[in-house]
Amino acid sequence: MRRIPFIFMACTIIFNIIGFEVKSQSKRKTSGNAPIFSNVLYQGNDQVYKDHPLAENEFYNPILQGCYPDPAITRKGDDYYMVCSSFAMFPGVPIFHSRDLVNWKQIGHVLDRTSQLDVHDTGISAGVYAPSITYNAGNDTFYMITTAFAGGLGNFIVKTKDPLNGWSDPIKLGFDGIDPSLFFDDNGKAYVVHNDAPDAGKEIYKGHRVIKIWEYDVASDKIIAGSDKIIVDGGVDISKKPIWIEAPHIYKKGGRYYLMCAEGGTGGWHSEVIFVSDSPKGPFKPAPNNPILTQRYFANERTNKVAWAGHADLVLGPDNKYYGVFLAIRPNEKDRVNIGRETFILPVDWSGEFPVFENGLVPLAPKLKTPAGIKNRTGQDGFIPNGNFSFAEDFSSEKIDYRWIALRGPREAFIERTKGGLRITPFESNIKQMKPTATLFYRQQHNSFSFTTTMQYKPNSEKDLAGLVCLQSEHFNYVFGITKKDDEYFLILQKNSRKNNGTEVVSTVVANCKVDISNPVQLKVESKGDEYSFSYNTGANGFVNVGGVVSGDILSTNVAGGFTGSLIGLYATSGNDATVSNLQ
């Protein structure tokens, strides 16, 4: 995945780790006017799934809808484990388990403690990038290695004997660059490969990167100083100035070493390429048929468009056939990317010298055949749903669903279960600040969807606000919530967007109306592709629209930039800035 320049990490504010631990983990005193949310219902309604119903032996692609980018996968016996990037989301690095590569359950997050992840004052697209997960049969241990642009971590590993039983605190590694992955050879040796900048003075063009390898000491969990070597310079053919060679993985097959990387940046030229060598330290020869996966050669206005495919990882499937997981995007009708980079899978033909993703060089189809003997149980028995599905939540479970996340700090710092639903204790920070906010987020997983919740709330002043937020980043979002003006209560729709790619965020109250809060109020956001609308229901006359139809452009990667998808949040703040003077 193409990354924020390293100057970004150098320019982040110095972290006060001790202060963050105290602030984020201690429970705030419950505010007397804290909102209580209940009866959340998310419903997906994409046309592609209506047009392509599943047969009995089929399943939908992507396998993880919404912002689950940069997948990596490993296998131990009959168990498969997959992780994805999480950036400034907390907890970090969602982890999934499967026995058949079709039906997946989320089993938690790798980084679920502030001792493992400190993102408390970083932008949404910083934090954790491109995790890689590897099982080492030599010591029966799982490793997750990644780069964190926050908390002073840089490149680090965590490890465990059992992914269901938590992971270690981070072990920092002493090298620069991004996208590290581990390779454990069958002779006991281990290696780290990663993306890095060319040696000083040797950068030929913008986007020129290299793949570097280090020997790794398993006993001490350290790279071996002086063992580093550049094994790919630029990409498949440096004379063509390829950009952003990254996300490397090494595989061993038939006694030879295969290096697979992403190339071309994470946008429209994204691809996957493969090299081979007789040694893990090279020299590596590119395959003559590169790329082995891409969607870059097709008409932009194609039906059910899937694009930006790349950043892949391979695993041997239960049918003794190889499969590859990778990221790609499904833009809306205006070619905007609101739901972010998602996780896809394809079978891989490795009958020849080099692997090739089956149907990975033609326009990707919305569904696949299940492997022989595998039954599609997605959306059943705790398996993650895909296609058009509903997700209902009343917050009555003892443990909050893993799909609910926070930004920059633990959910537990502001949520509390009650008989009536989930109480969210407001923070003084608001959604535009690079601080932890009292917001519980759910990923937008469809281009067309609805999200409804019931809220009981009585603000004390115009500084108090609670409701829904649709957020692409701290700089681009919509806030739809209830606040107070004098002795009356108002529902406002606020648009926040950064001006001219600078640092200034312009806030506009799109619309507002008086609202009766004597009973709980239902709040709803709906999207039909690029068109979003917000409405409320007090039980008197059904849902009433506020603000008409607004553009989802600010909720897209195209406008907002960054690497995440749009999130829908249950939000409370005592730092509302849609002041009385803003209300029309």
Side-chain angles (χ1 to χ4, degrees), residues 420-547:
L422 192 76
R423 178 184 287 121
I424 294 185
T425 299
F427 289 179
E428 292 181 4
S429 55
N430 67 46
I431 205 69
K432 295 184 289 184
Q433 296 176 286
M434 285 198 296
K435 298 179 179 180
T437 64
T439 319
L440 191 66
F441 287 105
Y442 182 91
R443 291 168 174 86
Q444 180 181 331
Q445 297 179 290
H446 299 80
N447 281 308
S448 294
F449 74 94
S450 66
F451 181 100
T452 308
T453 188
T454 301
M455 182 179 73
Q456 184 178 337
Y457 179 55
K458 186 177 181 180
N460 288 336
S461 75
E462 62 187 62
K463 285 293 184 181
D464 295 332
L465 180 142
L468 296 180
V469 61
C470 289
L471 178 137
Q472 176 64 229
S473 76
E474 57 274 3
H475 299 132
F476 294 92
N477 51 77
Y478 286 106
V479 174
F480 184 54
I482 294 174
T483 188
K484 187 178 183 182
K485 177 185 178 184
D486 299 327
D487 293 326
E488 297 179 304
Y489 301 96
F490 285 79
L491 187 56
I492 66 169
L493 176 60
Q494 182 188 45
K495 176 183 178 181
N496 299 310
S497 58
R498 189 171 56 193
K499 184 178 181 181
N500 298 328
N501 293 321
T503 57
E504 180 186 358
V505 176
V506 176
S507 298
T508 305
V509 175
V510 177
N512 73 97
C513 64
K514 292 180 184 179
V515 64
D516 179 4
I517 64 165
S518 57
N519 293 307
V521 179
Q522 282 188 297
L523 301 175
K524 178 190 284 189
V525 56
E526 295 179 274
S527 166
K528 295 179 180 178
D530 194 61
E531 297 181 339
Y532 286 65
S533 60
F534 297 83
S535 57
Y536 73 99
N537 180 12
T538 59
N541 299 304
F543 278 96
V544 178
N545 175 264
V546 178

Side-chain angles (χ1 to χ4, degrees), residues 48 51-52 295 299-306 331 363-366:
V48 60
D51 294 340
H52 295 85
Q295 294 289 286
N300 194 49
E301 289 77 27
R302 58 191 184 271
T303 305
N304 300 325
K305 179 179 177 180
V306 176
L364 288 173

Side-chain angles (χ1 to χ4, degrees), residues 30-50:
T30 300
S31 172
N33 66 328
I36 295 177
F37 293 90
S38 61
N39 301 320
V40 175
L41 179 62
Y42 174 93
Q43 294 179 293
N45 193 35
D46 282 347
Q47 189 63 40
V48 60
Y49 299 120
K50 299 175 185 178

